[in-house]
């Protein structure tokens, strides 16, 4: 079946943007199915960097259809900014981008509420969100209080719904001492968005189904990572959508049996941004070195990412729940700076061993990761394009990751540029 899904198996930022860009070459259609402007997919083309938040990375290739499906929460303002940035980059987006009429809209009050929830929370209760309004928007969706793209296309109905919603939102804002939002201004802004969005709006369930039925190569682009999944991630330090493979079906309308290959992406080490347990977090000095070497700063928020060793326990869990067929290991070149490389194969907590990631956040916070250690290769591998030219220590590390995850590694990325890859099969 020619459909493929790309999933992050860690806490996001695995380098999916680069891999989707690479796989897009052989795809006809690229579909984003969950998350929103919280994602930051970085693609480097000939030394120039572009960061995408909603638009699938396939947009950088000619003659591809890119779809923002209904599982995505759409922030029109952020989308338009992205389209303007793409134009500056030399990519003019036209009929090749389709936006689902069922997608929920991230409204300005969602962003205010995100900031309030984060601001009111103290210490460990802070999730460390991207403040893009993602949680409040999905909350409204589930509470059946959301506004969708299809509503935006019907001005009178939209205004009436917005008025009703604002009445409640403004009560909440008042409770927190925030100024109320004016209906008129919000409505006018929304209508300006509607005008620009209208040509992109489509019944994407039918569009994607038709492409699948015609045997087209359809690529589903995951955002965030499996450990940030609302159901199976390190709850509550997660995002508000299904960032695992299950999100493909609910977020596009394509049934599970029509999802073909599932590709998992992991860094050769691990990062996490925001709060929450991170059993393999590195000591400060080592973390700083990797952060520096790997330019580990959030693509959306610029926040420094927390750096850790490869977490075999979390990644193997992700391989299992997503049915990963093959793995891509990214940023292998970053480990060239590290003398001794660690790989976590178990957790230990109060004398008990854990081979699977526990649901209990307290255990995850306090458990000890048990590591295997590997000698580093301490040489620049960024120009290597064939596996046999990798240092033996790098090959041994990859073989150990592959064995532990029980899943073949098909691509190893050794640099941010499009061409910096070792294709293993
Ligand atoms: P939210 O998705 O903005 O609500 O943030 C919830 C959690 O997910 C926070 O820890 C964020 O840092 C994290 N997160 C959200 N999107 C991404 C991403 O694209 N990469 C990495 N972490 C993310």
């Amino acid at each position: 079946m020619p459909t493929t899904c790309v999933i992050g198996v860690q806490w996001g930022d695995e380098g999916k943007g680069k891999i989707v860009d690479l796989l897009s070459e052989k795809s006809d259609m690229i579909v984003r199915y969950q998350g929103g402007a919280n994602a930051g997919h970085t693609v480097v083309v000939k030394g120039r960097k572009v960061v995408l938040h909603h638009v699938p990375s396939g947009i950088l290739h000619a003659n591809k259809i890119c779809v923002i499906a209904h599982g995505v929460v759409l922030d029109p303002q952020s989308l338009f900014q992205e389209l303007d940035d793409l134009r500056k980059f030399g990519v003019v987006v036209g009929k090749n981008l389709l936006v689902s009429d069922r997608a929920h809209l991230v409204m300005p009050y969602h962003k205010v509420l995100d900031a309030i929830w984060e601001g009111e929370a103290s210490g460990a209760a802070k999730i460390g969100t991207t403040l893009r309004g993602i949680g409040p928007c999905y909350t409204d969706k589930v509470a059946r209080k959301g506004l969708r793209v299809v509503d935006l296309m019907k001005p009178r109905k939209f205004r009436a719904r917005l008025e009703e919603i604002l009445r409640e939102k403004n009560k909440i804002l008042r409770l927190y001492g925030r100024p109320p939002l004016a209906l008129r201004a919000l409505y006018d802004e929304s209508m300006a968005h509607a005008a620009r969005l209208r040509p992109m709006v489509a019944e994407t369930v039918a569009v994607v189904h038709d492409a699948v039925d015609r045997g087209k190569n359809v690529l589903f682009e995951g955002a965030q990572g499996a450990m940030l999944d609302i159901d199976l991630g390190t709850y509550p330090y997660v995002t508000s959508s299904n960032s695992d493979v299950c999100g493909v079906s609910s977020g596009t309308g394509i049934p599970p049996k029509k999802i073909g290959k599932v590709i998992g992406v992991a860094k050769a080490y691990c990062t996490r941004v925001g709060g929450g347990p991170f059993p393999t977090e590195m000591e400060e000095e080592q973390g700083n070195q990797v952060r520096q070497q790997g330019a580990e700063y959030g693509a959306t928020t610029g926040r420094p990412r927390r750096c850790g060793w490869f977490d075999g326990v979390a990644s193997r869990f992700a391989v299992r729940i997503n049915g990963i067929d093959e793995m891509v290991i990214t940023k292998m070149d970053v480990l060239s700076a590290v003398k001794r490389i660690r790989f976590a194969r178990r957790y230990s907590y109060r004398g008990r061993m854990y081979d699977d990631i526990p649901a209990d956040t307290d255990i995850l916070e306090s458990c000890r990761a048990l590591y295997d250690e590997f000698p580093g290769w301490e040489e620049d591998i960024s120009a290597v394009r064939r596996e046999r030219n990798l240092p033996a220590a790098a090959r041994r590390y990859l073989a150990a990751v592959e064995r532990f995850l029980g899943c073949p590694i098909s691509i190893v990325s050794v640099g941010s540029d499009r061409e910096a890859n070792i294709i293993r099969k």
Side-chain angles (χ1 to χ4, degrees):
M1 200 179 311
T3 67
T4 303
C5 178
V6 173
I7 300 275
V9 305
Q10 297 168 325
W11 281 271
D13 306 320
E14 297 90 351
K16 297 179 292 297
K18 175 181 162 169
I19 302 308
V20 170
D21 174 58
L22 187 71
L23 299 174
S24 292
E25 232 170 282
K26 292 203 174 108
S27 307
D28 302 297
M29 179 179 277
I30 302 96
V31 186
R32 252 299 287 281
Y33 57 89
Q34 46 75 225
N38 49 352
H41 292 163
T42 308
V43 185
V44 181
V45 184
K46 294 193 169 70
R48 288 177 71 207
K49 187 167 99 168
V50 61
V51 182
L52 301 167
H53 300 287
H54 293 88
V55 181
S57 314
I59 203 76
L60 302 174
H61 294 264
N63 305 322
K64 311 287 174 191
I65 300 294
C66 289
V67 176
I68 299 175
H70 62 259
V72 172
V73 286
L74 186 88
D75 177 347
Q77 205 176 346
S78 163
L79 172 69
F80 300 148
Q81 180 64 53
E82 212 173 317
L83 297 180
D84 294 344
D85 290 347
L86 275 167
R87 183 182 282 270
K88 282 184 213 141
F89 196 76
V91 178
V92 180
V93 179
K95 286 192 179 348
N96 52 340
L97 179 67
L98 302 176
V99 174
S100 168
D101 49 2
R102 287 184 167 90
H104 276 249
L105 294 166
V106 177
M107 298 295 288
Y109 47 78
H110 290 135
K111 289 184 226 173
V112 177
L113 285 171
D114 202 351
I116 290 175
W117 291 356
E118 279 292 285
E120 291 288 313
S122 58
K126 275 194 200 301
I127 307 291
T129 74
T130 60
L131 301 176
R132 296 299 189 269
I134 304 297
C137 184
Y138 278 114
T139 300
D140 274 356
K141 174 179 178 171
V142 176
R144 294 152 298 177
K145 290 180 179 175
L147 286 164
R148 299 185 297 166
V149 169
V150 67
D151 302 320
L152 193 59
M153 299 299 122
K154 297 198 288 186
R156 279 184 57 195
K157 189 173 170 206
F158 182 84
R159 195 178 202 284
R161 279 277 284 151
L162 183 62
E163 186 170 13
E164 196 181 311
I165 289 168
L166 264 195
R167 215 173 293 131
E168 192 206 14
K169 296 296 179 214
N170 280 339
K171 275 188 203 158
I172 298 172
L173 296 185
R174 210 168 304 128
L175 266 179
Y176 287 107
R178 303 291 172 109
L181 296 174
L183 173 65
R184 181 68 194 265
L186 198 44
Y187 173 75
D188 289 348
E189 186 186 320
S190 301
M191 287 305 110
H193 292 159
R196 191 165 173 192
L197 202 57
R198 193 176 294 276
M200 303 174 214
V201 178
E203 221 285 51
T204 59
V205 176
V207 171
V208 182
H209 263 280
D210 287 348
V212 172
D213 291 347
R214 280 186 286 128
K216 298 283 180 195
N217 286 311
V218 178
L219 183 62
F220 298 104
E221 175 178 14
Q224 290 84 48
M227 289 299 107
L228 289 173
D229 182 85
I230 183 75
D231 287 299
L232 292 166
T234 47
Y235 192 89
Y237 304 97
V238 292
T239 192
S240 297
S241 62
N242 280 118
S243 49
D244 61 10
V245 73
C246 304
V248 173
S249 290
S250 59
T252 65
I254 296 297
K257 67 181 180 188
K258 288 196 174 174
I259 300 169
K261 191 195 281 179
V262 186
I263 298 178
V265 185
K267 278 178 187 158
Y269 48 99
C270 195
T271 61
R272 149 156 234 182
V273 60
F278 191 13
T280 65
E281 191 156 13
M282 290 168 175
E283 302 283 334
E284 196 177 337
E285 198 180 327
Q286 182 67 78
N288 288 341
Q289 187 199 20
V290 169
R291 184 176 310 109
Q292 197 77 17
Q293 197 70 24
E296 294 295 357
Y297 295 89
T300 299
T301 59
R303 289 179 292 177
R305 295 179 183 142
R306 298 156 69 190
C307 297
W309 302 108
F310 194 102
D311 187 333
V313 182
S315 295
R316 191 171 53 186
F317 178 74
V319 165
R320 201 174 206 187
I321 60 170
N322 287 291
I324 303 281
D325 296 300
E326 55 186 67
M327 286 291 301
V328 175
I329 300 294
T330 62
K331 292 198 146 182
M332 189 73 180
D333 54 309
V334 174
L335 288 187
S336 293
V338 178
K339 275 199 172 66
R340 291 201 66 80
I341 297 165
R342 297 172 118 194
F343 174 97
R345 54 169 52 248
R346 288 181 120 179
Y347 304 149
S348 130
Y349 177 74
R350 293 190 178 166
R352 190 179 149 190
M353 295 298 169
Y354 290 83
D355 290 307
D356 282 306
I357 195 152
D360 189 336
T361 313
D362 295 338
I363 299 178
L364 272 175
E365 291 275 11
S366 319
C367 70
R368 198 158 58 85
L370 304 180
Y371 295 104
D372 281 348
E373 265 202 8
F374 296 84
W377 41 94
E378 298 183 70
E379 62 179 276
D380 183 10
I381 57 167
S382 58
V384 176
R385 297 291 177 267
R386 285 175 201 277
E387 190 184 2
R388 64 167 183 268
N389 296 335
L390 276 175
R395 278 184 276 131
R396 267 198 296 276
Y397 180 64
L398 286 173
V401 173
E402 196 166 48
R403 224 175 12 252
F404 188 85
L405 298 183
C407 179
I409 295 171
S410 55
I411 302 174
V412 181
S413 163
V414 290
S416 57
D417 221 53
R418 233 182 203 174
E419 290 76 28
N421 307 303
I422 298 167
I423 311 289
R424 288 181 91 212
K425 61 161 194 113

